[in-house]
Amino acid sequence: MSINLFRRRSDQALIWLSLGTALALTLISPPVAAHSFGKSYSLPVPVWLYLYGAAAALLVSFLIVGYLVNARSVELNLRERDLSGNRLFRLLLHPGSVGLFRVLSVATLVLTLLTGWLGKNNAYSNLSMTLFWIIFVLGYAYLTALIGNTFARLNPWLVICEWLEVLRPGLFRGRWRYPPGLAYWPALILYMVFIWFELFGRTKPLDLSNLLAGYSLLTLVCAYFFGKAAWFRYGELFAVFLRIIGLMAPLTAREEAGSGRLQARLRQPFVGLSTEKLAQFSLLMFILFMLSSTAFDGIKSTVPYVRIYWVHVAELLKPWLGNDIVVSFPTLKAIYVYWQIAMLALSPFLYLAVYLFFIWLCKLISRSELSVMALAYRFAYSLVPIAVVYHVTHYYSMLLSQGMQVFKLASDPFGLGWDLFGTATSNFAIIPQAGTVWHTQVWMILAGHIVSVYLAHMEALKIFPSNGRAALSQLPMLLLMVALTTAGLWILSLPISGGQ
């Protein structure tokens, strides 16, 4: 492979600049005190060693990607392989199989509603909570990252709309034109409300069924007025969320021209994110909220975060509430709820400010003619792997422990003492050791950021004319990845406040 003089000089400059950045990070990074993991696990080495190790791994990965990945390799990475000849995929994508899966999807939604309404109002003995929060919200999302966006066909609310249209054709064609200005804002607002209920709602099975019934009604009403095509593209929360995650999958399904049959295709993992073009600010905010909401969940109960309100904010409120903590505590506790809501709602805007700052640095270094927002849109999908690994690291232990209880709860879905499948007294929970959880989290977070470095470099090669300039433009993005990695690991290491 021939390498011209400009390429060699660019690579040398890149290497020296990256090594200088690494040295600067080492010199300016303050020491981080090691914290206990939870309340009973001590990290085997100080946290700062993990942080420096992760930063160094990202720098090395950046050098490797910058040197090896070029415009030609990007083209090769976008190749796909047709799997239509495979018997398994032909069976799974057969119209009869897809129809059966769609029936099961609606049946699962109905079962979740019925068990919440008619069963015991106990989160651990009623199937509904585990089925929705653990199997669907966690397990199905992770499965989507592996096998693609099957929810586009199996969405139970979309299936119900299509079934109703069999009885009354054109029912969900839409009465109003979907306002272009709305874009993905409805999905983002619903996402924020959903996360609030997940973190603070303390919902029980009955509450969950009522909420799902309300959401189902809202979805059908909006699909009726705006049309199912527009609403399930822009407004339906889970459709948008899972469509973004599905871009990471090595598998994808497309309709075969003319026949309408689904065709399975194999591609390189994560490259689906590089084929999508983002053009709406609301979708950028949706992706940033995928990041910030999980980070907020990780930090909301830690000692440093709790102290911000109960020490510093409470001190500022003393002129209005008085100095007697016994008297002011009920009011402070009530205000704390609104404080949490405000912090959750503001979190994506904080991430936006940080993201745009590094994008501005990228524009400055690369001397790009594109605007800051245009560049922000181009690199937005490279953040998705980080958001997904944050999600996995925070919640995968729940999937292993409570998720496995679905086999037990399936025998007694209503919590009434049944044993339909002989598994009601079984215990299938997998509870990993704290050390295993921590090290898995570290490696997953690091892997997610390395993938994002790779995707960002792929996108830079599409924007800038030379490999050297593309790699140079990614130094600010590398600093962003280092900052996000160290922040994520630092949050995981913080002690939890037992009182909040």
Side-chain angles (χ1 to χ4, degrees), residues 92 97-106 136 140 147 149-160 262:
L92 292 175
S97 300
V98 175
L100 177 60
F101 292 142
R102 286 158 66 88
V103 171
L104 291 175
S105 175
V106 176
F136 175 64
Y140 189 72
I147 68 171
N149 183 25
T150 58
F151 197 69
R153 290 280 177 160
L154 306 183
N155 187 327
W157 297 288
L158 176 61
V159 175
I160 291 172
L262 290 176

Side-chain angles (χ1 to χ4, degrees), residues 413-445:
F414 295 90
L416 302 177
W418 299 351
D419 193 3
L420 299 176
F421 306 108
T423 58
T425 58
S426 303
N427 188 1
F428 297 95
I430 300 175
I431 303 177
Q433 295 182 351
T436 302
V437 172
W438 166 258
H439 288 100
T440 304
Q441 289 173 327
V442 170
W443 284 109
M444 282 195 292
I445 287 177

Side-chain angles (χ1 to χ4, degrees), residues 97-371:
S97 300
V98 175
L100 177 60
F101 292 142
R102 286 158 66 88
V103 171
L104 291 175
S105 175
V106 176
T108 303
L109 173 62
V110 173
L111 178 62
T112 305
L113 292 171
L114 292 179
T115 50
W117 280 329
L118 305 177
K120 278 190 176 181
N121 201 27
N122 183 295
Y124 295 98
S125 61
N126 192 305
L127 177 64
S128 63
M129 297 290 282
T130 299
L131 199 58
F132 178 75
W133 291 111
I134 307 298
I135 302 302
F136 175 64
V137 174
L138 300 184
Y140 189 72
Y142 305 158
L143 183 64
T144 298
L146 297 176
I147 68 171
N149 183 25
T150 58
F151 197 69
R153 290 280 177 160
L154 306 183
N155 187 327
W157 297 288
L158 176 61
V159 175
I160 291 172
C161 288
E162 293 178 352
W163 286 355
L164 291 175
E165 282 193 315
V166 173
L167 301 175
R168 186 175 174 184
L171 180 62
F172 293 100
R173 190 176 299 163
R175 300 301 180 269
W176 305 329
R177 180 174 176 268
Y178 188 84
L182 275 183
Y184 292 92
W185 291 113
L188 176 59
I189 293 171
L190 289 171
Y191 192 10
M192 289 182 171
V193 173
F194 171 75
I195 294 297
W196 185 89
F197 274 110
E198 179 185 5
L199 300 183
F200 306 112
R202 298 181 181 179
T203 54
K204 292 185 176 181
L206 180 59
D207 304 319
L208 175 61
S209 290
N210 290 334
L211 288 170
L212 278 177
Y215 183 78
S216 300
L217 179 61
L218 172 67
T219 300
L220 295 179
V221 169
C222 290
Y224 173 80
F225 284 109
F226 296 116
K228 68 178 189 293
W231 186 251
F232 285 98
R233 175 169 180 79
Y234 296 105
E236 206 278 287
L237 157 63
F238 301 108
V240 176
F241 179 74
L242 293 171
R243 183 166 68 245
I244 293 172
I245 293 179
L247 294 173
M248 297 173 54
L251 294 174
T252 184
R254 297 176 183 172
E255 285 192 359
E256 194 175 344
S259 67
R261 294 172 61 91
L262 290 176
Q263 186 181 51
R265 304 187 72 85
L266 180 67
R267 61 189 179 187
Q268 185 184 100
F270 307 106
V271 298
L273 293 166
S274 68
T275 62
E276 289 291 313
K277 302 300 180 186
L278 189 148
Q280 293 91 359
F281 179 71
S282 54
L283 187 56
L284 171 62
M285 293 301 297
F286 192 99
I287 292 173
L288 290 174
F289 189 66
M290 290 173 66
L291 271 168
S292 68
S293 59
T294 308
F296 177 80
D297 185 24
I299 202 172
K300 67 178 173 54
S301 298
T302 61
V303 171
Y305 175 83
V306 171
R307 283 177 60 86
I308 291 175
Y309 178 83
W310 289 103
V311 175
H312 303 292
V313 176
E315 182 69 24
L316 295 175
L317 294 176
K318 279 186 177 180
W320 293 275
L321 302 180
N323 294 323
D324 191 339
I325 188 63
V326 176
V327 174
S328 62
F329 179 76
T331 305
L332 284 171
K333 189 174 182 180
I335 296 174
Y336 189 55
V337 175
Y338 296 100
W339 165 267
Q340 295 281 59
I341 294 173
M343 292 302 101
L344 177 63
L346 289 174
S347 63
F349 295 95
L350 174 61
Y351 270 70
L352 175 66
V354 174
Y355 177 59
L356 291 182
F357 171 73
F358 283 98
I359 290 294
W360 172 77
L361 289 178
C362 175
K363 174 179 172 60
L364 193 66
I365 291 177
S366 64
R367 302 186 303 277
S368 173
E369 296 179 357
L370 296 176
S371 67

